[in-house]
Amino acid sequence: MVGLVVVSHSAALAAGVVELARQMGGGQVAIEAAGGMAEPEGAIGTDVELVRAAIERAGGPDGVLVLMDLGSALMSAEMAAEMIGAVSDVPVRLSEAPLVEGAVAAAARAGAGAPLDEVAEEARAALGMKSAQLGVEEEAPAAASAPAPPGGAERRLRVPNRLGLHARPAARFVETVARFDADVTVTDETTGRGPADGRSLSALVTLGVRQRHDILLSAGGPQAEAVLAALDELAQANFGDEDGAPPPPAAAEPAAPAAGPPAPGAVLQGAPAASGIAIGPARALHVAPPEVDETPAGDPAAEAARLDAARAAAHKDVQAARERIAQQAGAAEAGIFDAHALLLDDAALLEPARRAISGGASAGAAWRDAGAAAADAYRALDDPYLRERAADVEDVVGRVLGHLGGGAAPPRIDAPGVLVVEDLAPGEAAALDAAVVRGLAVARGGATSHAAILARALGIPSVVGLGDGILAVEEGTPLVVDGDSGTVEVDPPADALAERERARQAAEARRARALARAREPARTRDGVTLEVAANLGAAAEVRGALEHGADGVGLLRTEFLFLDRDEAPTAAEQEAVYEEIAAALDGRPLIVRTLDAGADKPLPFVPQPPEDNPFLGVRGLRLSLANPDLLRDQLRAIVAVAARHPVKVMFPMVTVPAEFRAARALLEEVRREAGAPELEVGVMVEVPALALQAERFAREVDFFSVGTNDLTQYTAAAERGSQQLAALLAGPLPPVLALIASVTAGADAHGRWVGVCGELAGDPGAALLLAGLGVRELSMAPARIPEVKEALRGIELAQAREVARRALELEDADAVREAVAPLLPAT
């Protein structure tokens, strides 16, 4: 049997690949890891002697296949193979296959008793497995189809498991075939693909067999009937998958276009995307589609250069859009364009395009086709949030095609009004002028789409998911967009239109009054002053926060210093940024949250093993404590600035007191080394466990800051990125308010103060409830500060306490909103 050796710069990675390969069909195969350096043990690098020894352990008369990651791993493998060849006749083959996929596929093939040449070919074809599942064509050489065994037996099966013949059930299939003296081929009769060799993991996976597909098994050889019976039994056992759940419902097909425009007075229902009321005539967006020249302008090298130049120009476009959104809305919203910048360099787009160019295609046609394949792969996914990312791919592809065609004309509308579109690319949304586009009515998309996020950031009332009916509305038809209820009224009666216009003007006047008084303190009618601060994600946002009346910064998200880098920022780099922000605040308080990475914010320079549910995994303080040098550098920077400015520090994702004590001990160590004064230290309340033991924490912490976004999702067991569960997360949920009440009670017992820095703080009604529960600091997106301050000025704290007490007894967020509505400023 052929043996395998996995060579990697990382000992942990090599060991992990070996373990995966063994579990995926290579249990009987000699597989050895050769990762890292021998001296010092486990150091990153490759060691010729370790590789040589691994080849000897895996070696046998059938030979050894060596897979390696990159760089010096190849040199080490070559030298080790030469050393083995000088003293042994064991055949050693070096493989160019992808490390993980190649090892898995090769192990399955070797376990079936295949010779070295076949095992090497199986490894080389392995990337086709991933390409097939992503829907990307020709990403790597696919395993060749196999002729049906002559003179054999046949059996038809229906695949029952939810994910079809993905890698793990396919590996079980290969293992089963290997136990018999028989040849097996598989044909997917549902799609017509095949036949594929039943001993090849790559060939099986690249068939793309899904749940409820019918497959034809053809077997030949002495044990043909026996192998078919065993495979039938394997299928009856769900191919070993524990997922007997029915397939996810198919995405609803778009409704057929309406026969004519909606009748006057019709109300179209969609999904609310950005709050507010917009009134105006329907306007179409005019976008000139980029022209694609199918004929190459030069040889493949020239076409490749044209593509690279167009991508470079698109990078500049993306950066300009990012800067504009950062100035208008903040770094969090602008971060959408970081993903676009990454897509411009994504191998899933670049590699197919470059292969097509090498084959004689024009740069435009190659890029267009690669983009279409990638977008289709996103649309084929079950997750609605991920499906919406297809628009991001198309946006990036369109930018590049525009530059290849000589420059894309910006999208435009002919006159002010309500923009009616089928869908809106993020780049188009970022280019919208709120003075011209009064509202958005979108047929497709969802409230989690990047276009919807940008519309909210720009303050444009928006409704998405309206269906094809909105597309039949004629240009110039009066529309009323209600971004709170998710409705669009088409050509309403004059009296209804006048009423909606009065409501819109009243809301606008209320916002204008609030903005005019934004710099005044938020003092209740009975003389209690609450601090209303800003959540910031970059130094450039300080000026806008102060213009909106921020009393300080209640949450500085420091992730912007760490993301999209190949190495961590130094303590000096961090200190310079914190100093810039603190100095701009001119004596106002600054609360710096330590790094909150992990989950949806991975760090390139902090490798983390995959987690089934990273939002409940190693993130926030958990990740920082696992990387103390990273935390120590950040604390050094914070302590240095705190010696000159009113700076506080708080730790995210704290669950038990021991975590806080470990972090505070590290802070004290750093502070003593610097000879710096003490500073206030707090914790984020995001985990219900902390909220329920707040009194215990209050004996040691100086303050609490409630992150209602995470606290709500953990309390409701509803991931906040899920569109289907959005109703469980909307507004002030009574159970979440009860947890906040527990925090304020525990804090009061020891004279500590409590702030809130999640989305609820920026909701005027919720802000009144939080004040009634004992919260004394509210931190939010800068644009929300004026209206929250105005709402607080209009109440007596005793009123807020009474409504908050009643809210704890209500059933849902709608009832809570109804209870607090009388306290809000009149529209």
Side-chain angles (χ1 to χ4, degrees):
M1 190 176 290
V2 173
L4 303 179
V5 171
V6 175
V7 182
S8 171
H9 287 66
S10 165
L13 175 59
V17 172
V18 168
E19 179 62 24
L20 180 63
R22 284 176 176 150
Q23 290 187 16
M24 298 284 280
Q28 305 302 314
V29 180
I31 313 176
E32 294 291 336
M37 303 286 290
E39 293 294 338
E41 184 177 356
I44 295 295
T46 57
D47 189 309
V48 174
E49 180 56 31
L50 288 181
V51 179
R52 186 200 61 77
I55 294 174
E56 282 191 344
R57 292 194 300 273
D62 294 327
V64 178
L65 185 70
V66 182
L67 300 102
M68 69 292 296
D69 49 19
L70 73 169
S72 66
L74 176 57
M75 272 196 305
S76 295
E78 287 177 331
M79 293 174 65
E82 290 176 5
M83 293 165 66
I84 292 289
V87 297
S88 171
D89 294 331
V90 173
V92 178
R93 180 80 58 84
L94 305 186
S95 174
E96 77 277 26
L99 186 67
V100 179
E101 296 90 347
V104 169
R109 190 66 163 175
L116 181 58
D117 286 346
E118 289 187 18
V119 174
E121 179 59 26
E122 183 79 356
R124 193 179 70 83
L127 195 55
M129 297 190 293
K130 184 184 291 184
S131 302
Q133 290 184 306
L134 288 175
V136 181
E137 296 295 334
E138 301 300 326
E139 189 69 18
S145 60
E154 293 184 343
R155 187 167 305 202
R156 285 175 171 82
L157 300 175
R158 177 159 289 186
V159 175
N161 53 315
R162 182 169 58 86
L163 295 178
L165 288 184
H166 63 94
R168 200 173 287 273
R172 297 186 185 103
F173 190 107
V174 171
E175 284 181 310
T176 302
V177 173
R179 298 201 305 266
F180 296 87
D181 184 7
D183 294 319
V184 177
T185 63
V186 183
T187 301
D188 187 338
E189 293 192 315
T190 302
T191 63
R193 298 183 68 180
D197 186 348
R199 298 170 300 168
S200 168
L201 181 64
S202 298
L204 284 179
V205 174
T206 53
L207 271 183
V209 178
R210 297 292 183 255
Q211 186 180 37
R212 295 184 180 173
H213 281 202
D214 293 315
I215 58 175
L216 172 66
L217 307 182
S218 301
Q223 294 184 295
E225 290 290 350
V227 72
L228 292 180
L231 291 170
D232 193 347
E233 184 178 347
L234 180 65
Q236 295 301 320
N238 211 41
F239 286 99
D241 277 4
E242 298 178 359
D243 66 20
E253 292 294 325
V267 178
L268 304 181
Q269 182 67 55
S275 64
I277 296 173
I279 301 173
R283 301 296 183 198
L285 183 68
H286 301 287
V287 181
E291 295 184 5
V292 177
D293 192 343
E294 302 288 341
T295 304
D299 61 19
E303 289 299 290
R306 288 184 63 228
L307 177 59
D308 289 342
R311 287 174 44 243
H315 265 294
K316 293 181 180 178
D317 293 344
V318 169
Q319 183 59 30
R322 190 193 192 289
E323 291 172 358
R324 175 172 180 259
I325 295 300
Q327 290 174 354
Q328 295 185 346
E333 289 76 10
I336 288 171
F337 292 98
D338 293 336
H340 284 212
L342 293 173
L343 280 171
L344 284 166
D345 299 322
D346 196 317
L349 288 169
L350 272 179
E351 291 179 8
R354 285 172 172 161
R355 282 199 301 272
I357 289 172
S358 297
S362 69
W367 182 253
R368 176 199 62 202
D369 294 346
D376 288 345
Y378 274 106
R379 288 199 176 91
L381 298 174
D382 294 331
D383 189 302
Y385 178 83
L386 292 177
R387 283 201 301 269
E388 288 171 359
R389 301 290 75 79
D392 298 291
V393 174
E394 291 170 336
D395 189 291
V396 164
V397 170
R399 287 183 187 274
V400 174
L401 291 178
H403 286 289
L404 283 170
R412 61 178 177 81
I413 63 174
D414 291 334
V418 172
L419 181 58
V420 176
V421 290
E422 180 176 6
D423 207 345
L424 197 64
E428 294 168 347
L432 297 180
D433 183 349
V436 177
V437 180
R438 298 172 183 169
L440 275 174
V442 186
R444 307 278 180 256
T448 59
S449 70
H450 283 165
I453 294 169
L454 290 171
R456 285 195 290 274
L458 295 170
I460 299 175
S462 305
V463 178
V464 298
L466 287 160
D468 289 310
I470 191 65
L471 300 178
V473 172
E474 296 178 357
E475 179 109 5
T477 302
L479 298 177
V480 177
V481 174
D482 189 330
D484 296 298
S485 66
T487 59
V488 173
E489 299 172 58
V490 180
D491 195 9
D495 56 344
L497 191 62
E499 181 181 346
R500 300 296 261 166
E501 177 61 23
R502 284 193 294 271
R504 188 195 66 78
Q505 290 180 0
E508 194 171 284
R510 185 179 68 248
R511 284 193 293 270
R513 288 194 303 270
L515 186 59
R517 299 186 61 194
R519 294 175 186 258
E520 299 176 19
R523 184 176 294 112
T524 65
R525 293 208 308 259
D526 48 355
V528 178
T529 299
L530 286 87
E531 184 175 303
V532 182
N535 296 338
L536 300 185
E541 298 175 19
V542 176
R543 179 178 176 183
L546 296 179
E547 289 174 350
H548 281 88
D551 299 326
V553 172
L555 168 63
L556 177 63
R557 303 182 183 97
T558 58
E559 293 75 54
F560 72 98
L561 288 166
F562 292 81
L563 299 176
D564 300 324
R565 297 176 57 122
D566 293 329
E567 57 185 19
T570 64
E573 287 179 281
Q574 295 181 64
E575 181 182 345
V577 175
Y578 304 151
E579 173 67 31
E580 179 185 354
I581 295 170
L585 288 172
D586 194 23
R588 297 175 181 87
L590 168 62
I591 299 178
V592 180
R593 181 179 70 186
T594 60
L595 178 63
D596 187 16
D600 57 335
K601 293 175 285 189
L603 297 176
F605 48 84
V606 180
Q608 288 184 262
E611 296 181 279
D612 290 338
N613 188 344
F615 287 95
L616 296 178
V618 181
R619 54 172 296 206
L621 186 59
R622 299 169 182 176
L623 182 65
S624 293
L625 289 175
N627 296 271
D629 289 342
L630 198 66
L631 179 58
R632 187 178 284 106
D633 275 352
Q634 184 168 34
L635 293 176
R636 286 192 180 111
I638 294 170
V639 164
V641 178
R644 302 183 291 271
H645 303 278
V647 173
K648 306 175 180 67
V649 63
M650 67 179 175
F651 299 113
M653 198 67 183
V654 180
T655 305
V656 295
E659 292 173 329
F660 172 74
R661 290 173 190 141
R664 186 155 199 170
L666 194 57
L667 172 65
E668 285 302 302
E669 173 190 321
V670 168
R671 188 186 63 79
R672 285 193 299 271
E673 287 175 357
E678 293 187 358
L679 68 163
E680 286 189 56
V681 186
V683 291
M684 289 276 288
V685 183
E686 300 159 287
V687 183
L690 191 158
L692 293 170
Q693 54 181 339
E695 188 276 332
R696 180 181 296 276
F697 271 92
R699 302 171 196 174
E700 302 178 51
V701 307
D702 297 315
F703 66 92
F704 299 86
S705 185
V706 183
T708 55
N709 301 353
D710 273 335
L711 183 62
T712 300
Q713 76 166 345
Y714 292 144
T715 302
E719 202 277 302
R720 67 192 197 194
S722 171
Q723 186 175 344
Q724 296 97 320
L725 302 178
L728 291 175
L729 303 170
L733 302 178
V736 175
L737 297 177
L739 288 172
I740 295 172
S742 173
V743 175
T744 56
D748 285 345
H750 297 277
R752 312 303 188 190
W753 61 270
V754 178
V756 173
C757 60
E759 287 289 321
L760 282 186
D763 179 324
L768 300 185
L769 293 170
L770 295 171
L773 291 173
V775 171
R776 290 298 173 264
E777 184 247 25
L778 299 164
S779 192
M780 62 205 69
R784 298 181 178 183
I785 291 172
E787 288 193 75
V788 169
K789 278 190 167 185
E790 192 71 3
L792 291 168
R793 295 186 193 108
I795 63 163
E796 292 184 1
L797 206 55
Q799 294 175 291
R801 290 194 189 100
E802 175 57 25
V803 174
R805 184 193 62 76
R806 286 191 281 117
L808 297 176
E809 301 171 359
L810 299 175
E811 289 189 359
D812 55 37
D814 289 339
V816 172
R817 288 191 184 283
E818 186 176 342
V820 78
L823 297 186
L824 291 170
T827 58

